[in-house]
Amino acid sequence: MSKLRFHAIKESLAYKPVIVEENERRSELFGQNVFNENTMRQYLTKDAFVGVMNAIKHGKKIDRNIADQVSSSMKDWALSKGVTHYTHWFQPLTGTTAEKHDAFFETIGGGMAIEKFGGSQLVQQEPDASSFPSGGIRNTFEARGYTAWDPTSPAFIYGTTLCIPTIFVAYTGEALDYKTPLLRALHAVDKAAAAVCKYFDKNVKKVTSSLGWEQEYFLVDRALAFSRPDLILTGRTLLGHSSAKGQQLDDHYFGSIPNRALNFMRELEKECMLLGIPVKTRHNEVAPNQFELAPIYEEANLAVDHNSLLMDIMERIASRHNFKVLMHEKPFAGMNGSGKHNNWSLSTDTGVNLLAPGKTPMSNLQFLTFFINTIRAVHEHEALLRAAIASASNDHRLGANEAPPAIISVFIGEQLTKVLEELEGVTKGKLSPQEKTELKLNVVGKIPDVLLDNTDRNRTSPFAFTGNKFEFRAVGSLANCGNSMTVLNTIVAKQLKDFKVEVDKLIDKKDLKKDEAVFNVLREYIKASRHILFEGNGYGQVWEAEAKKRGLSNNKTTPEALKARISKKSISLFEEMHVMSKIETEARYEIEMEAYIKHIQIEGRVLGDIARNHIVPTAVKYQNILIENVKGLKEIFEEKYLSVSNEQINLIEDISNHIEGINANVTKMTNARKQANTLENIEEKAKAYCNNVKPLFDDIRYHCDKLELLVDDEIWPLTKYRELLFTR
Ligand code: ADP
Ligand code: MG
């Protein structure tokens, strides 16, 4: 066994779990390290409190004087908790979170110093953050970006640092992060949805988008993970033969959580409680050492922040338990990948979930309005929705015969399908009194009880209605869900805006009653979006063929999928809804394409290195042992040797072939990479990486994995799947 592998296994076996007690009540821990409404009430003057609440609830500007009061109180609160530094915490387009700590400490002359944190430091900062991706918006030499306080997401303490959630924008105003367009999209959906709600309830003033994410991840022993260069540098295993036992017995799913993982989860959840992340559910997932964690849903902007924060602290806490967290969508070939289901809904300031059926025919018509408009929005923008979840790592799940497919479709269940069929038959124009009564009693009136037994959950659907919310299941585990939430809320906002225009037109021009007009428009929407509805098996080839007939896109790779981001339709959508300017949309496209290229490039380099520097030399070494052995046999048995060691010779030959296979393909891949690197055009370059470089990974891997089965385990250099996956 290679030294590295040997020591890693030894270390992992010797590890004694850190025991984490769970003796505090969660409700008492909850939000202790958050400058939330409750804390603000204690620390802020009445004026300041009202100012901040107005900003949170009604988007009002916070003036300088109030900002000074807030910052000073925030500082007092933070100092009382032993905090020394503050930071503007933001989510640049690298996919991670960023922070730059500054001490509260300030000198005031005469050899004296004080703790200081003024309003201007709270409201705006100018980190020298010129190395973050900007897609050409910001020339590194001139404009710098700045961060600005987002009062709708409360400041929190992590370690000894006060973290202030902020947006990150260029001086010219363009967004350089995930949060800025998300906030704009949330504003757009609020406006559009609240206007539609007025048909049903005049009291509605605000509509909030909610998100409940479910985060899947793997835990791998840290020493073992660090013995694999591919895991460390790319987050996934680029090679490795599958373990004799994998997930086929389904003995991990919902099983008892292994002790060491449980201790990690306890510590993680305790930290989440302090940070106000309302985690609630934990369980084993399908693959060995795969788990899931889910909170109670929250307002979407806060939920996105909490997910980013969670991913960050998971990493840190995992290392205290000698784990490495794998957030990658596909760390192990042949095993289940990880996703991040985004449960999404809209609710009013009057406390109504617009995606939950109500108790009266009128509230159900409201439900159907939002339900059908969402379906129509997905139908109109399915390709853009697919683009929102595109990444090099998520390509391993989408369209790779694993949940869910790269085709976006909507699952609504049998009962609601029937309801839509009935609505499709509604008379055009004015409705007769009988028809209205019929609709009231038998269609719209019946929804609540039918949904109660809507337990049929199609797990293969990328976008499923699950009783009182839609579940967007195609989001990658590694992704910042700001991206998918921005797109989803924008397309729904646009759809609701159009809906309002059409309904108003029917009321004004055709003299229809409000509910008649709504029925009329919904009927047309159902007809127009029938193609996006799919109840069958999303993994099957039958569906691929069917989807093609229906004209749905099936973009299996990121470069293909991302094109929808910069289609005319998408650009004007984002412009019209004031979510992103053309420049911002194009910049994002460029950044994502660049990221794709870089990921494949890095994987190619790492795989080439491992194959040539680890696998080939090991195979040659073993081959030489075999050759010596055959020579010896020949000496002893002379002419008889043929019958003795035919198998031996075959083995030597097999090994030769695989070595040759590796060398030839690594050379091919290196050349393909060189060729791709000469391309200036980003689209061509991404395509070259996708179509010419990436496919060679499989060929190289094939030969390496075959060798793993042939070569003496004693000298095999890489920690094996069985060791990575079954260490507890
Ligand atoms: P599962 O999908 O695994 O069966 P649940 O349906 O219980 O689990 O919930 C998954 C996530 O959906 C949780 O984060 C939960 O808080 C969230 N959720 C529940 N209701 C809503 C809603 N109305 N809007 C958004 N998210 C919701
Ligand atoms: Mg779910």
Side-chain angles (χ1 to χ4, degrees):
M1 197 176 293
S2 77
K3 263 196 199 133
L4 191 60
R5 180 169 159 228
F6 174 77
H7 285 293
I9 293 172
K10 203 170 140 196
E11 197 182 321
S12 90
L13 290 176
Y15 177 76
K16 297 235 164 21
V18 174
I19 306 296
V20 179
E21 305 282 354
E22 244 177 342
N23 35 26
E24 300 101 327
R25 275 203 196 166
R26 293 200 162 190
S27 57
E28 280 163 18
L29 295 174
F30 189 70
Q32 268 188 24
N33 290 347
V34 185
F35 200 62
N36 54 22
E37 202 176 317
N38 189 26
T39 318
M40 284 195 282
R41 247 183 240 284
Q42 290 170 38
Y43 277 82
L44 294 182
T45 61
K46 189 139 184 262
D47 275 1
F49 181 75
V50 171
V52 176
M53 291 320 281
N54 272 334
I56 295 172
K57 297 215 164 113
H58 312 295
K60 295 253 161 65
K61 269 222 149 76
I62 291 178
D63 68 34
R64 233 349 251 279
N65 173 26
I66 301 277
D68 279 335
Q69 291 188 45
V70 175
S71 63
S72 156
S73 310
M74 241 184 218
K75 183 197 68 188
D76 292 344
W77 170 72
L79 290 178
S80 78
K81 290 183 162 281
V83 168
T84 54
H85 287 68
Y86 65 89
T87 182
H88 275 197
W89 179 84
F90 57 102
Q91 296 158 64
L93 296 168
T94 49
T96 51
T97 58
E99 48 195 80
K100 178 186 150 216
H101 298 186
D102 281 301
F104 286 127
F105 168 84
E106 200 89 46
T107 52
I108 51 169
M112 286 182 298
I114 55 163
E115 256 66 47
K116 193 166 171 250
F117 183 50
S120 56
Q121 287 146 314
L122 165 66
V123 173
Q124 189 171 321
Q125 292 272 309
E126 200 183 305
D128 181 17
S130 43
S131 296
F132 288 115
S134 70
I137 284 176
R138 216 168 22 133
N139 189 314
T140 335
F141 298 100
E142 347 161 321
R144 298 216 278 177
Y146 68 91
T147 52
W149 180 30
D150 167 20
T152 62
S153 182
F156 57 89
I157 294 168
Y158 190 70
T160 52
T161 306
L162 171 68
C163 302
I164 297 142
T166 58
I167 57 167
F168 178 41
V169 289
Y171 252 109
T172 38
E174 284 92 3
L176 297 171
D177 66 348
Y178 287 107
K179 191 193 262 286
T180 308
L182 175 65
L183 288 173
R184 295 178 190 151
L186 295 174
H187 179 67
V189 84
D190 168 18
K191 247 175 63 183
V196 169
C197 283
K198 292 265 180 347
Y199 289 138
F200 308 97
D201 180 359
K202 291 261 180 281
N203 297 320
V204 173
K205 291 198 182 60
K206 190 178 164 71
V207 172
T208 306
S209 170
S210 310
L211 165 65
W213 40 262
E214 301 163 55
Q215 178 75 53
E216 291 179 336
Y217 61 96
F218 279 83
L219 287 176
V220 170
D221 179 90
R222 200 168 175 78
L224 297 179
F226 275 92
S227 71
R228 297 271 318 211
D230 48 357
L231 270 184
I232 293 318
L233 298 176
T234 72
R236 74 175 178 112
T237 54
L238 297 171
L239 44 85
H241 198 280
S242 56
S243 160
K245 176 182 184 290
Q247 63 188 44
Q248 63 272 64
L249 299 178
D250 285 328
D251 49 358
H252 187 65
Y253 191 52
F254 277 28
S256 66
I257 299 174
N259 206 1
R260 182 168 162 197
L262 188 61
N263 279 301
F264 157 76
M265 290 177 188
R266 282 183 177 148
E267 188 173 346
L268 173 65
E269 289 173 14
K270 186 172 168 185
E271 191 58 59
C272 284
M273 283 298 114
L274 293 170
L275 289 165
I277 306 174
V279 291
K280 190 165 167 73
T281 311
R282 64 185 177 208
H283 61 79
N284 291 355
E285 262 302 328
V286 175
N289 281 356
Q290 190 189 25
F291 306 93
E292 181 185 296
L293 174 143
I296 297 169
Y297 68 94
E298 300 175 279
E299 186 277 321
N301 174 44
L302 186 58
V304 170
D305 279 0
H306 278 167
N307 182 248
S308 298
L309 181 57
L310 173 97
M311 292 203 284
D312 191 32
I313 60 179
M314 269 174 104
E315 195 63 54
R316 304 185 199 201
I317 290 173
S319 74
R320 288 210 280 274
H321 294 262
N322 263 24
F323 275 131
K324 170 108 185 96
V325 185
L326 305 181
M327 217 63 96
H328 193 285
E329 282 82 353
K330 194 76 178 171
F332 302 101
M335 294 280 146
N336 238 54
S338 300
K340 175 150 50 199
H341 295 180
N342 278 201
N343 296 271
W344 170 89
S345 68
L346 294 171
S347 59
T348 67
D349 55 350
T350 54
V352 175
N353 175 357
L354 295 165
L355 288 165
K359 292 201 171 63
T360 63
M362 202 54 180
S363 60
N364 275 334
L365 185 56
Q366 174 171 270
F367 156 68
L368 284 170
T369 296
F370 283 90
F371 178 67
I372 294 167
N373 271 289
T374 304
I375 294 172
R376 175 100 203 274
V378 175
H379 178 263
E380 292 302 298
H381 300 283
E382 44 94 15
L384 180 61
L385 208 52
R386 163 68 180 98
I389 47 167
S391 70
S393 51
N394 210 15
D395 279 357
H396 292 281
R397 290 170 69 229
L398 309 175
N401 295 322
E402 196 186 324
I407 308 160
I408 299 290
S409 65
V410 183
F411 169 86
I412 60 172
E414 208 180 314
Q415 289 95 336
L416 282 164
T417 303
K418 278 200 195 113
V419 173
L420 295 199
E421 275 164 11
E422 304 226 21
L423 285 179
E424 223 182 312
V426 168
T427 312
K428 216 166 179 166
K430 285 197 187 298
L431 310 183
S432 68
Q434 292 95 309
E435 190 173 8
K436 275 198 181 177
T437 313
E438 161 68 18
L439 280 172
K440 227 183 207 176
L441 287 180
N442 289 329
V443 184
V444 182
K446 276 221 167 137
I447 296 170
D449 19 311
V450 295
L451 267 196
L452 282 181
D453 57 333
N454 181 24
T455 45
D456 175 19
R457 290 208 180 177
N458 185 333
R459 285 278 152 197
T460 68
S461 176
F463 199 88
F465 184 71
T466 48
N468 60 357
K469 61 187 190 287
F470 278 99
E471 195 170 331
F472 190 14
R473 300 207 185 103
V475 184
S477 48
L478 196 56
N480 182 307
C481 24
N483 204 351
S484 46
M485 282 296 111
T486 299
V487 170
L488 181 56
N489 286 293
T490 305
I491 63 176
V492 171
K494 158 77 174 149
Q495 183 51 55
L496 290 168
K497 186 182 165 201
D498 291 353
F499 172 78
K500 174 98 180 18
V501 171
E502 291 187 58
V503 170
D504 285 349
K505 212 158 64 189
L506 289 184
I507 295 173
D508 292 346
K509 299 242 161 81
K510 298 262 180 257
D511 199 26
L512 295 190
K513 291 240 159 34
K514 195 173 56 191
D515 51 349
E516 283 173 336
V518 169
F519 274 124
N520 268 278
V521 176
L522 291 184
R523 180 193 58 235
E524 295 310 309
Y525 282 2
I526 295 168
K527 282 188 189 158
S529 26
R530 206 184 285 135
H531 278 168
I532 200 74
L533 297 177
F534 179 63
E535 306 283 301
N537 176 13
Y539 303 167
Q541 296 211 316
V542 182
W543 171 228
E544 276 203 50
E546 166 69 17
K548 196 170 173 192
K549 262 197 244 152
R550 294 188 186 187
L552 298 176
S553 56
N554 182 7
N555 296 322
K556 293 194 176 181
T557 67
T558 294
E560 262 181 280
L562 283 179
K563 271 191 218 150
R565 237 191 197 299
I566 47 156
S567 68
K568 267 204 179 121
K569 190 170 158 187
S570 302
I571 289 176
S572 63
L573 164 81
F574 286 126
E575 277 184 330
E576 181 188 338
M577 302 318 292
H578 302 290
V579 171
M580 279 189 282
S581 68
K582 184 160 185 265
I583 295 178
E584 288 172 312
T585 304
E586 287 174 345
R588 246 147 245 256
Y589 172 74
E590 205 176 293
I591 291 166
E592 285 170 11
M593 289 288 266
E594 280 282 357
Y596 178 82
I597 292 167
K598 283 180 189 154
H599 274 110
I600 305 292
Q601 187 180 44
I602 292 170
E603 287 192 346
R605 287 179 182 159
V606 174
L607 181 57
D609 279 359
I610 297 179
R612 278 240 163 97
N613 306 339
H614 298 231
I615 306 299
V616 169
T618 306
V620 168
K621 207 183 280 169
Y622 184 55
Q623 197 183 32
N624 284 339
I625 294 173
L626 294 176
I627 290 169
E628 282 305 308
N629 176 254
V630 170
K631 275 189 194 156
L633 289 171
K634 227 168 153 184
E635 239 174 69
I636 300 171
F637 296 108
E638 288 178 358
E639 67 275 9
K640 267 202 287 175
Y641 99 95
L642 263 179
S643 59
V644 179
S645 56
N646 233 349
E647 281 291 320
Q648 298 276 72
I649 300 277
N650 288 347
L651 184 54
I652 292 169
E653 243 174 45
D654 278 354
I655 292 176
S656 265
N657 289 337
H658 291 308
I659 290 173
E660 170 58 21
I662 292 173
N663 281 331
N665 283 303
V666 169
T667 303
K668 253 202 234 169
M669 179 184 68
T670 312
N671 289 337
R673 239 172 37 227
K674 278 187 189 145
Q675 169 63 29
N677 289 342
T678 62
L679 300 169
E680 296 278 333
N681 178 301
I682 196 162
E683 240 154 71
E684 283 172 20
K685 193 169 177 179
K687 246 195 245 160
Y689 266 100
C690 181
N691 301 331
N692 307 339
V693 178
K694 207 179 87 185
L696 292 165
F697 294 1
D698 291 340
D699 299 330
I700 297 168
R701 177 177 193 146
Y702 170 82
H703 292 290
C704 292
D705 289 357
K706 283 285 177 210
L707 283 173
E708 186 181 325
L709 293 185
L710 300 177
V711 171
D712 182 4
D713 183 69
E714 276 290 304
I715 59 170
W716 191 253
L718 292 178
T719 305
K720 294 185 172 180
Y721 267 30
R722 63 161 188 268
E723 291 150 355
L724 290 168
L725 286 165
F726 291 96
T727 322
R728 294 287 153 94

